[in-house]
Amino acid sequence: MSKYKLVMLRHGEGAWNIENRFCSWVDQKLSEDGLREAEMCGKHLKFLGFEFDLVYTSILSRSIQTAWLIMQELGQEWVPVRSSWRLNERHYGALIGLNRAELALNHGEEQVKIWRRSYDNAPPPIDESHPYYQEIHTDRRYTCCDIQKDNLPKSESLKQVLERLLPYWNEEIAPEIKKGKRVLISAHGNSTRALLKHLEGTVPFYFYKFS
C-alpha cells in the first residue's frame, strides 16, 4: 500500500476540443460528452473505492465542473475544494482560438509541433489586438490571484507552466499530501503533464491509468 495518495486527471471534453481549437485560458464549459466523461470517471473511482480529503482545481470552469461531477458521483460533495490559477491550462498566447489543422497549413506541422510539444518554446504572446484578449485578461477571476494581474502570463512554454505551478505544489498541495490527506487534482492536459514531469524525477509512485 502506498504511503501517499494523489489522483490527477484532465477535465472532460469541451466544445473547442471537438473543434480542435486551442482553448487555453478561454473559459469553456464541458460539452455533453465532457459531462458524461466526468460522471463516468466518478463512477469508476467509486467502483475502485477512492475517498478524498481535498480537491484542487484550476479557476477555469471545465476543471471545476469535472471535479464537481466526480465528487457528486462519489457521494463526497462535502470535501473541500481549493482553486488556483496556477493549475490553469498552459497559456497558448496568440494561438488561442485557432484551429490546429489550419495552423499547421499556415505555419507547417513542424512549427506547430514545436509550439505544442517542446519543453521550453513558448508560442507568440497574446496582445490587445487578439479577439480573446479582453475576455481573458479583464476577467474578474484574475484579480483574485496571488500575483498582480499585469504579471500573469501572456504565453507559456511547458517549462513556464511548471515554474508557475511548483510554488503552489510545494507550498499548498504537497504539504497536505505529506500530512496523509488523500488528494484529487482536476486540472488540464499541460498542467498535469508538467506536474508529472516534476514528480517522475523526485519520487517513486504508481500509475493507474483508465479510460
Side-chain angles (χ1 to χ4, degrees):
M1 183 68 65
S2 60
K3 185 176 181 181
Y4 304 120
K5 288 190 177 180
L6 167 65
V7 173
M8 292 187 289
L9 54 89
R10 177 189 178 273
H11 62 80
E13 179 191 74
W16 279 15
N17 296 133
I18 303 170
E19 298 170 13
N20 203 27
R21 297 165 71 189
F22 286 97
C23 189
S24 187
W25 283 28
V26 174
D27 193 40
Q28 290 276 309
K29 300 268 197 301
L30 296 180
S31 67
E32 289 299 317
D33 282 346
L35 295 171
R36 284 191 289 271
E37 287 170 354
E39 289 167 354
M40 287 303 298
C41 182
K43 290 179 191 299
H44 196 66
L45 289 170
K46 184 175 183 177
F47 173 77
L48 293 171
F50 277 88
E51 293 182 340
F52 297 102
D53 303 304
L54 275 173
V55 178
Y56 290 93
T57 76
S58 76
I59 56 174
L60 294 167
S61 294
R62 56 194 187 272
S63 161
I64 297 167
Q65 276 186 294
T66 299
W68 282 351
L69 289 165
I70 288 171
M71 299 311 286
Q72 184 175 354
E73 290 295 333
L74 288 168
Q76 299 174 40
E77 299 97 324
W78 54 271
V79 171
V81 178
R82 300 175 184 174
S83 301
S84 172
W85 75 275
R86 292 185 181 275
L87 290 171
N88 272 18
E89 178 59 289
R90 176 182 171 187
H91 198 308
Y92 270 106
L95 306 187
I96 290 173
L98 299 179
N99 177 280
R100 294 170 189 176
E102 293 173 354
L103 199 61
L105 286 175
N106 293 331
H107 295 275
E109 289 187 10
E110 187 59 33
Q111 180 60 64
V112 175
K113 185 177 179 181
I114 289 170
W115 282 332
R116 290 190 64 205
R117 295 301 178 192
S118 67
Y119 181 59
D120 55 3
N121 281 279
I126 195 170
D127 61 31
E128 293 185 12
S129 67
H130 192 282
Y132 289 99
Y133 180 89
Q134 292 300 322
E135 179 177 332
I136 296 169
H137 290 279
T138 62
D139 193 311
R140 188 167 67 92
R141 76 192 72 197
Y142 295 111
T143 63
C144 304
C145 298
D146 57 0
I147 64 172
Q148 292 294 317
K149 191 164 70 168
D150 290 344
N151 294 328
L152 290 167
K154 301 295 192 294
S155 176
E156 291 178 303
S157 64
L158 188 65
K159 180 182 178 183
Q160 289 168 318
V161 173
L162 181 58
E163 287 171 350
R164 52 101 156 154
L165 193 159
L166 274 181
Y168 193 64
W169 168 260
N170 290 330
E171 297 165 20
E172 168 64 35
I173 304 175
E176 296 290 359
I177 294 172
K178 289 176 180 177
K179 292 176 189 174
K181 298 288 181 67
R182 297 160 296 182
V183 168
L184 170 68
I185 299 177
S186 171
H188 304 266
N190 281 288
S191 50
T192 301
R193 187 169 150 231
L195 186 51
L196 280 173
K197 180 177 177 61
H198 171 68
L199 292 177
E200 284 175 343
T202 57
V203 294
F205 60 98
Y206 173 71
F207 276 109
Y208 184 88
K209 183 177 181 181
F210 59 88
S211 58

Coordinates of all heavy atoms in Angstrom, one line a residue, residues 66-110:
T66 N -15.7 19.4 -13.8 CA -15.2 18.0 -13.8 C -15.1 17.5 -12.3 O -15.6 16.4 -12.0 CB -13.9 17.8 -14.5 OG1 -14.1 18.2 -15.9 CG2 -13.4 16.4 -14.4
A67 N -14.5 18.3 -11.5 CA -14.3 18.0 -10.1 C -15.7 17.8 -9.4 O -15.9 16.9 -8.6 CB -13.5 19.0 -9.3
W68 N -16.6 18.8 -9.6 CA -17.9 18.7 -9.0 C -18.6 17.4 -9.4 O -19.2 16.7 -8.5 CB -18.8 19.8 -9.5 CG -18.5 21.2 -8.9 CD1 -17.7 21.4 -7.8 CD2 -19.1 22.4 -9.3 NE1 -17.7 22.8 -7.6 CE2 -18.5 23.4 -8.4 CE3 -19.9 22.8 -10.3 CZ2 -18.8 24.8 -8.6 CZ3 -20.2 24.2 -10.5 CH2 -19.7 25.1 -9.6
L69 N -18.6 17.1 -10.7 CA -19.4 15.9 -11.1 C -18.8 14.6 -10.6 O -19.5 13.7 -10.2 CB -19.4 15.8 -12.7 CG -20.3 16.9 -13.3 CD1 -20.0 17.0 -14.8 CD2 -21.7 16.6 -13.1
I70 N -17.4 14.6 -10.5 CA -16.8 13.4 -9.9 C -17.1 13.2 -8.4 O -17.5 12.1 -8.0 CB -15.3 13.5 -10.1 CG1 -14.9 13.3 -11.6 CG2 -14.5 12.5 -9.2 CD1 -13.4 13.5 -11.9
M71 N -17.1 14.3 -7.7 CA -17.4 14.2 -6.3 C -18.8 13.9 -6.0 O -19.2 13.2 -5.0 CB -17.0 15.5 -5.6 CG -15.5 15.8 -5.7 SD -14.4 14.5 -5.2 CE -14.5 14.5 -3.5
Q72 N -19.7 14.4 -6.9 CA -21.1 14.0 -6.8 C -21.3 12.5 -7.0 O -22.1 11.9 -6.2 CB -21.9 14.8 -7.8 CG -23.4 14.6 -7.8 CD -24.2 15.5 -8.7 OE1 -23.6 16.3 -9.4 NE2 -25.5 15.3 -8.8
E73 N -20.7 12.0 -8.0 CA -20.8 10.5 -8.2 C -20.2 9.7 -7.0 O -20.7 8.6 -6.7 CB -20.1 10.1 -9.5 CG -20.7 10.6 -10.8 CD -22.1 10.0 -11.0 OE1 -22.3 8.9 -10.5 OE2 -22.9 10.6 -11.7
L74 N -19.2 10.3 -6.4 CA -18.6 9.6 -5.3 C -19.4 9.8 -4.0 O -19.1 9.1 -3.0 CB -17.2 10.1 -5.0 CG -16.1 9.7 -6.0 CD1 -14.8 10.6 -5.8 CD2 -15.7 8.3 -5.9
G75 N -20.4 10.7 -4.0 CA -21.1 11.0 -2.8 C -20.3 11.7 -1.8 O -20.5 11.6 -0.6
Q76 N -19.3 12.5 -2.3 CA -18.3 13.2 -1.4 C -18.3 14.7 -1.7 O -17.3 15.4 -1.7 CB -16.9 12.6 -1.6 CG -16.8 11.2 -1.2 CD -15.5 10.6 -1.5 OE1 -14.4 11.2 -1.3 NE2 -15.5 9.3 -2.0
E77 N -19.5 15.3 -2.0 CA -19.6 16.7 -2.3 C -19.1 17.6 -1.2 O -18.8 18.8 -1.5 CB -21.1 17.0 -2.7 CG -21.7 16.3 -3.9 CD -22.5 15.1 -3.4 OE1 -22.1 14.4 -2.4 OE2 -23.5 14.8 -4.1
W78 N -19.1 17.1 0.0 CA -18.7 17.9 1.1 C -17.2 18.2 1.2 O -16.8 19.0 2.0 CB -19.2 17.3 2.4 CG -18.8 15.9 2.5 CD1 -19.4 14.7 2.1 CD2 -17.6 15.4 3.1 NE1 -18.7 13.6 2.3 CE2 -17.5 14.0 3.0 CE3 -16.5 16.0 3.8 CZ2 -16.5 13.2 3.4 CZ3 -15.5 15.2 4.3 CH2 -15.5 13.8 4.1
V79 N -16.4 17.4 0.5 CA -15.0 17.5 0.6 C -14.5 18.9 0.1 O -15.0 19.4 -0.9 CB -14.3 16.4 -0.3 CG1 -12.8 16.7 -0.3 CG2 -14.6 15.1 0.3
P80 N -13.7 19.6 0.9 CA -13.2 21.0 0.5 C -12.6 21.0 -0.9 O -11.8 20.1 -1.2 CB -12.2 21.3 1.6 CG -12.6 20.5 2.7 CD -13.1 19.2 2.1
V81 N -12.9 22.1 -1.6 CA -12.3 22.3 -3.0 C -11.5 23.6 -2.9 O -12.0 24.6 -2.5 CB -13.4 22.4 -4.1 CG1 -12.7 22.6 -5.4 CG2 -14.2 21.1 -4.1
R82 N -10.3 23.6 -3.4 CA -9.4 24.7 -3.4 C -9.0 25.0 -4.9 O -8.6 24.0 -5.6 CB -8.2 24.6 -2.6 CG -8.5 24.4 -1.1 CD -7.3 24.1 -0.2 NE -7.6 23.8 1.1 CZ -6.8 23.4 2.1 NH1 -5.5 23.2 1.7 NH2 -7.2 23.1 3.3
S83 N -9.2 26.2 -5.4 CA -8.9 26.5 -6.8 C -7.8 27.6 -6.9 O -7.7 28.5 -6.1 CB -10.2 27.0 -7.4 OG -11.2 26.1 -7.4
S84 N -6.9 27.4 -7.9 CA -5.8 28.3 -8.1 C -5.5 28.5 -9.6 O -5.6 27.5 -10.4 CB -4.6 27.8 -7.4 OG -3.4 28.6 -7.8
W85 N -5.2 29.7 -10.0 CA -4.8 29.9 -11.4 C -3.6 29.1 -11.8 O -3.3 28.9 -12.9 CB -4.6 31.4 -11.6 CG -3.3 31.9 -11.1 CD1 -3.1 32.3 -9.8 CD2 -2.0 32.0 -11.7 NE1 -1.8 32.7 -9.6 CE2 -1.1 32.5 -10.8 CE3 -1.6 31.8 -13.0 CZ2 0.2 32.8 -11.1 CZ3 -0.3 32.0 -13.4 CH2 0.6 32.5 -12.4
R86 N -2.8 28.8 -10.7 CA -1.5 28.1 -11.0 C -1.7 26.7 -11.6 O -0.8 26.1 -12.1 CB -0.7 28.1 -9.7 CG -0.2 29.4 -9.3 CD 0.8 29.4 -8.2 NE 1.2 30.8 -7.8 CZ 2.2 31.4 -8.4 NH1 2.9 30.9 -9.3 NH2 2.5 32.7 -8.0
L87 N -3.0 26.2 -11.5 CA -3.3 24.9 -12.1 C -4.0 25.0 -13.4 O -4.4 24.1 -14.1 CB -4.2 24.1 -11.1 CG -3.5 23.5 -9.9 CD1 -4.6 23.0 -8.9 CD2 -2.5 22.5 -10.2
N88 N -4.1 26.3 -13.9 CA -4.7 26.5 -15.2 C -4.0 25.8 -16.3 O -2.8 25.4 -16.2 CB -4.7 28.0 -15.6 CG -5.9 28.8 -15.0 OD1 -6.6 28.3 -14.2 ND2 -6.1 30.0 -15.6
E89 N -4.7 25.7 -17.5 CA -4.1 25.2 -18.7 C -2.9 26.1 -19.1 O -2.9 27.2 -18.7 CB -5.1 25.0 -19.8 CG -4.6 24.6 -21.1 CD -4.0 23.2 -21.1 OE1 -2.8 23.1 -20.6 OE2 -4.5 22.2 -21.6
R90 N -2.0 25.6 -19.9 CA -1.0 26.4 -20.5 C -1.5 27.5 -21.2 O -2.5 27.4 -21.9 CB -0.1 25.5 -21.4 CG 1.0 26.2 -22.1 CD 1.7 25.2 -23.0 NE 2.6 25.8 -24.0 CZ 3.2 25.2 -24.9 NH1 3.0 23.9 -25.1 NH2 4.1 25.8 -25.7
H91 N -0.9 28.7 -21.1 CA -1.4 29.9 -21.9 C -0.7 29.8 -23.3 O 0.5 29.9 -23.4 CB -0.9 31.2 -21.2 CG -1.7 32.4 -21.6 ND1 -1.8 32.7 -22.9 CD2 -2.4 33.3 -20.9 CE1 -2.5 33.8 -23.1 NE2 -2.8 34.2 -21.8
Y92 N -1.6 29.6 -24.3 CA -1.1 29.4 -25.6 C -0.9 30.7 -26.4 O -0.7 30.7 -27.6 CB -2.0 28.5 -26.4 CG -1.5 27.0 -26.3 CD1 -2.2 26.1 -25.5 CD2 -0.4 26.5 -26.9 CE1 -1.9 24.8 -25.3 CE2 0.0 25.2 -26.8 CZ -0.7 24.4 -26.0 OH -0.3 23.1 -25.9
G93 N -1.0 31.9 -25.7 CA -0.7 33.1 -26.3 C -1.6 33.4 -27.6 O -2.8 33.3 -27.6
A94 N -0.9 33.8 -28.7 CA -1.6 34.2 -29.9 C -2.3 33.1 -30.6 O -3.1 33.3 -31.5 CB -0.6 34.9 -30.8
L95 N -2.0 31.8 -30.2 CA -2.6 30.7 -30.8 C -4.0 30.4 -30.3 O -4.7 29.6 -30.9 CB -1.7 29.4 -30.6 CG -0.3 29.5 -31.0 CD1 0.3 28.1 -30.8 CD2 -0.1 30.0 -32.4
I96 N -4.4 31.0 -29.2 CA -5.7 30.8 -28.6 C -6.8 31.0 -29.6 O -6.9 32.0 -30.3 CB -5.9 31.7 -27.3 CG1 -5.0 31.2 -26.2 CG2 -7.4 31.6 -26.9 CD1 -5.0 32.1 -25.0
G97 N -7.7 30.0 -29.6 CA -8.9 30.1 -30.5 C -8.7 29.6 -31.9 O -9.6 29.4 -32.7
L98 N -7.4 29.3 -32.3 CA -7.1 28.9 -33.6 C -7.3 27.4 -33.8 O -7.0 26.6 -32.8 CB -5.6 29.3 -34.0 CG -5.3 30.8 -34.0 CD1 -3.9 31.0 -34.4 CD2 -6.3 31.5 -35.0
N99 N -7.6 27.0 -35.0 CA -7.8 25.5 -35.3 C -6.4 25.0 -35.6 O -5.6 25.5 -36.3 CB -8.7 25.4 -36.5 CG -8.8 23.9 -36.9 OD1 -8.0 23.4 -37.6 ND2 -9.9 23.3 -36.5
R100 N -6.1 23.8 -34.9 CA -4.7 23.3 -35.1 C -4.4 22.8 -36.5 O -3.2 23.0 -36.9 CB -4.6 22.1 -34.1 CG -4.6 22.6 -32.6 CD -4.7 21.5 -31.6 NE -5.0 22.0 -30.3 CZ -5.2 21.3 -29.2 NH1 -5.2 19.9 -29.3 NH2 -5.4 21.8 -28.1
A101 N -5.4 22.3 -37.2 CA -5.1 21.8 -38.5 C -4.9 23.0 -39.5 O -3.9 22.9 -40.3 CB -6.3 21.0 -39.0
E102 N -5.7 24.1 -39.3 CA -5.4 25.3 -40.1 C -4.1 25.9 -39.8 O -3.4 26.4 -40.7 CB -6.6 26.2 -39.9 CG -7.9 25.8 -40.4 CD -9.1 26.7 -40.1 OE1 -8.8 27.7 -39.3 OE2 -10.2 26.4 -40.5
L103 N -3.7 25.9 -38.5 CA -2.5 26.4 -38.1 C -1.3 25.7 -38.8 O -0.3 26.3 -39.2 CB -2.4 26.4 -36.6 CG -1.3 27.3 -35.9 CD1 -1.7 28.8 -36.2 CD2 -1.3 27.0 -34.4
A104 N -1.4 24.4 -38.9 CA -0.4 23.6 -39.5 C -0.3 23.9 -41.0 O 0.9 23.9 -41.5 CB -0.7 22.1 -39.3
L105 N -1.4 24.2 -41.6 CA -1.3 24.5 -43.1 C -0.6 25.9 -43.3 O 0.1 26.1 -44.2 CB -2.8 24.6 -43.6 CG -3.5 23.3 -43.9 CD1 -4.9 23.6 -44.3 CD2 -2.7 22.5 -44.9
N106 N -0.8 26.8 -42.3 CA -0.3 28.1 -42.5 C 1.2 28.2 -42.0 O 2.0 29.0 -42.6 CB -1.1 29.2 -41.7 CG -2.5 29.3 -42.3 OD1 -2.6 29.2 -43.5 ND2 -3.4 29.7 -41.4
H107 N 1.6 27.4 -41.0 CA 2.9 27.6 -40.4 C 3.7 26.3 -40.5 O 4.9 26.3 -40.2 CB 2.8 27.9 -38.9 CG 2.2 29.3 -38.7 ND1 2.9 30.4 -38.7 CD2 0.9 29.6 -38.4 CE1 2.1 31.5 -38.4 NE2 0.9 31.0 -38.3
G108 N 3.1 25.2 -41.0 CA 3.8 24.0 -41.1 C 3.7 23.1 -39.9 O 3.6 23.6 -38.7
E109 N 3.5 21.8 -40.1 CA 3.3 20.9 -39.0 C 4.4 20.9 -38.0 O 4.2 20.7 -36.8 CB 3.0 19.5 -39.5 CG 1.7 19.3 -40.2 CD 1.4 17.9 -40.6 OE1 2.2 17.0 -40.1 OE2 0.4 17.7 -41.3
E110 N 5.7 21.0 -38.5 CA 6.8 21.0 -37.6 C 6.8 22.2 -36.6 O 7.1 22.0 -35.4 CB 8.1 21.0 -38.4 CG 9.4 20.8 -37.6 CD 9.4 19.5 -36.8 OE1 8.8 18.5 -37.3 OE2 9.9 19.4 -35.7

